């Protein structure tokens, strides 16, 4: 009943290829945006902002960048965490070198540094693919983290080797730093994530997105029909790394507040990869569903035993979280390789066909 399509006729090709072919989809998105922009700020606590809402948005953006490269263009990458680090350190240097620079501009520019590094390490994709390309990006992961540790100029030769986010104001409001309020940071991250997601949707649904998909499905056939593989693959690395770099800048400046080089090590890359796999490769919605599950799961595992009166140590909770994530990945790879996004697509199809069997 909720997805009754009677009377929703398509009278043009433009209407048939609309972003929301059904009015219910547009209503659902409007409802989600209302909840995100108005309901959460009025009801959520500082703990909810810092432990759930902000990290969900940032991890969703990082997974979106990885999904463009792996899910849409078919290029494997295990260096997402390092590319996030490039964006974070670039934003830190821009803010410290130009203290009057607007934070939005600094975050936008930091993505270009990450994109340049991503293209440089994406050059092997012109000759290798699959497992061998994953190893090449893994080498980028180790090299960049080593660079973050050894190049003192990146962290202004701080004795601790860490970068500290200073208090940054915009329009008289502190948006980053120790004095920033959680709700302010949430709104900042939400606006950036919404804008980048809108751009990613338009790119993946357009000509560039179709080129990436053709390279993903069969690169030899794509080259035979006139697609420039070098341009297609490097553009995927550039766009993906740009989004990942922006998420890395948000990760440090709008959530963590400080960072050491080991923060961007291989576990971060694997966490983003897990989000993309569980959410569904080749899907925009899947990044958000996967991030909600991965970020909320540790909170639930730490809260539920205490609520039930079961004593559990923090180390045991961490082990349970790791085991649960591993079990979820195996489950989705076996039962539904397309992830949570495919589950939602099946539910939507059944609602459209109801009450008829499907």
């Amino acid at each position: 009943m909720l997805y009754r399509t009677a009377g929703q006729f398509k009278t043009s090709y433009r209407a048939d290829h609309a972003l929301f072919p059904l009015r219910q989809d547009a209503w659902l998105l409007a409802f989600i945006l209302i909840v995100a922009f108005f309901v959460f700020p009025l009801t959520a606590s500082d703990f909810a902002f810092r432990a759930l809402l902000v990290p969900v948005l940032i991890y969703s953006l990082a997974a979106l960048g990885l999904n463009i490269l792996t899910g849409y263009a078919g290029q494997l990458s295990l260096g997402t965490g390092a590319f996030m680090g490039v964006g974070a350190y670039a934003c830190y240097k821009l803010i410290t070198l130009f203290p009057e620079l607007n934070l939005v501009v600094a975050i936008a520019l930091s993505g270009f540094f990450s994109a340049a590094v991503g293209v440089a390490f994406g050059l092997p994709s012109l000759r290798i693919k699959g497992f061998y390309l994953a190893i090449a990006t893994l080498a980028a992961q180790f090299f960049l983290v080593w660079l973050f540790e050894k190049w003192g100029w990146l962290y202004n030769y701080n004795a601790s080797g860490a970068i500290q986010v200073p208090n940054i104001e915009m329009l008289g409001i502190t948006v980053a730093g120790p004095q920033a309020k959680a709700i302010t940071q949430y709104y900042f991250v939400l606006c950036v994530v919404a804008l980048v997601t809108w751009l990613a949707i338009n790119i993946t649904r357009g000509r560039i997105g179709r080129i990436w998909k053709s390279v993903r499905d069969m690169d030899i056939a794509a080259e035979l029909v006139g697609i420039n593989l070098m341009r297609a693959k490097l553009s995927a690395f550039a766009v993906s790394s740009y989004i990942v770099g922006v998420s890395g800048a948000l990760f440090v400046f709008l959530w963590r507040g400080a960072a050491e080089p080991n923060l961007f090590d291989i576990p971060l890359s694997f966490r983003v990869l897990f989000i993309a796999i569980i959410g569904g490769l080749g899907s925009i919605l899947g990044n958000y569903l996967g991030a909600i599950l991965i970020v909320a799961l540790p909170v639930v595992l730490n809260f539920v035993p205490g609520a039930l009166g079961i004593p559990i140590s923090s180390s045991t909770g961490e082990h349970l979280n790791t085991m649960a994530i591993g079990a979820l990945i195996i489950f989705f790879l076996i039962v539904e390789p397309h992830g949570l996004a495919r589950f939602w697509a099946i539910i939507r199809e059944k609602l459209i066909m109801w009450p008829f069997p499907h």
Side-chain angles (χ1 to χ4, degrees), residues 172-225:
I173 302 174
T174 304
V175 297
Q179 298 179 1
K181 294 182 178 179
I183 188 173
T184 304
Q185 294 179 319
Y186 167 73
Y187 266 123
F188 189 101
V189 173
L190 179 61
C191 292
V192 173
V193 171
L195 176 61
V196 176
T197 302
W198 176 75
L199 294 173
I201 290 173
N202 283 277
I203 292 175
T204 54
R205 294 181 72 248
R207 174 178 172 271
I208 298 176
R210 291 193 293 271
I211 290 175
W212 289 342
K213 293 174 186 176
S214 65
V215 173
R216 174 197 65 191
D217 294 339
M218 188 172 292
D219 54 353
I220 296 177
E223 189 174 19
L224 288 175
V225 299

Side-chain angles (χ1 to χ4, degrees), residues 35-349:
V35 170
F37 278 94
F38 300 105
V39 177
F40 283 155
L42 294 176
T43 58
S45 62
D46 283 356
F47 173 80
F49 283 126
R50 299 187 187 279
L52 288 174
L53 298 177
V54 172
V56 162
L57 292 172
I58 294 174
Y59 278 121
S60 299
L61 191 62
L64 173 61
L66 177 62
N67 224 330
I68 285 179
L69 182 63
T70 303
Y72 285 94
Q75 309 301 305
L76 298 180
S77 175
L78 295 177
T80 309
F83 295 137
M84 290 177 68
V86 173
Y89 277 91
C91 188
Y92 176 73
K93 291 301 298 184
L94 288 171
I95 290 297
T96 53
L97 292 175
F98 308 100
E100 302 300 325
L101 186 64
N102 188 286
L103 181 59
V104 176
V105 177
I107 291 176
L109 292 177
S110 66
F112 287 105
F113 290 92
S114 182
V117 175
V119 170
F121 284 102
L123 290 173
S125 67
L126 305 178
R127 301 297 298 271
I128 60 178
K129 58 183 178 179
F131 174 76
Y132 298 99
L133 179 59
I135 295 301
T137 57
L138 186 61
Q141 168 74 48
F142 291 121
F143 171 75
L144 289 173
V145 172
W146 173 85
L147 193 66
F148 299 154
E149 294 178 353
K150 301 302 180 181
W151 194 8
W153 180 80
L154 290 176
Y155 49 86
N156 291 338
Y157 301 98
N158 190 345
S160 65
I163 56 176
Q164 301 283 339
V165 178
N167 291 313
I168 302 173
E169 292 187 359
M170 288 179 55
L171 303 176
I173 302 174
T174 304
V175 297
Q179 298 179 1
K181 294 182 178 179
I183 188 173
T184 304
Q185 294 179 319
Y186 167 73
Y187 266 123
F188 189 101
V189 173
L190 179 61
C191 292
V192 173
V193 171
L195 176 61
V196 176
T197 302
W198 176 75
L199 294 173
I201 290 173
N202 283 277
I203 292 175
T204 54
R205 294 181 72 248
R207 174 178 172 271
I208 298 176
R210 291 193 293 271
I211 290 175
W212 289 342
K213 293 174 186 176
S214 65
V215 173
R216 174 197 65 191
D217 294 339
M218 188 172 292
D219 54 353
I220 296 177
E223 189 174 19
L224 288 175
V225 299
I227 292 176
N228 189 322
L229 290 186
M230 181 184 71
R231 187 181 304 167
K233 292 182 178 181
L234 293 185
S235 66
F237 270 97
V239 175
S240 170
S241 300
Y242 180 87
I243 296 176
V244 170
V246 169
S247 70
L250 295 175
F251 183 72
V252 173
F253 276 74
L254 278 302
W255 182 32
R256 301 302 294 255
E260 295 182 350
N262 58 10
L263 179 64
F264 306 102
D265 215 338
I266 193 68
L268 179 60
S269 298
F270 280 140
R271 170 168 283 198
V272 177
L273 179 62
F274 296 160
I275 291 173
I277 292 175
I278 292 175
L281 293 175
S283 167
I284 300 294
L285 174 63
N287 304 306
Y288 293 91
L289 298 178
I292 291 172
L293 183 61
I294 293 297
V295 174
L297 187 61
V299 178
V300 173
L301 290 178
N302 290 330
F303 173 77
V304 171
L308 297 176
I310 303 175
I312 183 173
S313 63
S314 58
S315 60
T316 304
E318 185 66 26
H319 293 157
L320 288 175
N321 177 45
T322 304
M323 294 168 59
I325 292 176
L328 285 173
I329 293 173
I330 296 174
F331 171 79
F332 281 107
L333 289 177
I334 295 175
V335 177
E336 184 49 75
H338 296 289
L340 292 171
R342 180 54 186 165
F343 279 141
W344 163 244
I346 293 174
I347 293 172
R348 181 175 174 274
E349 292 172 4

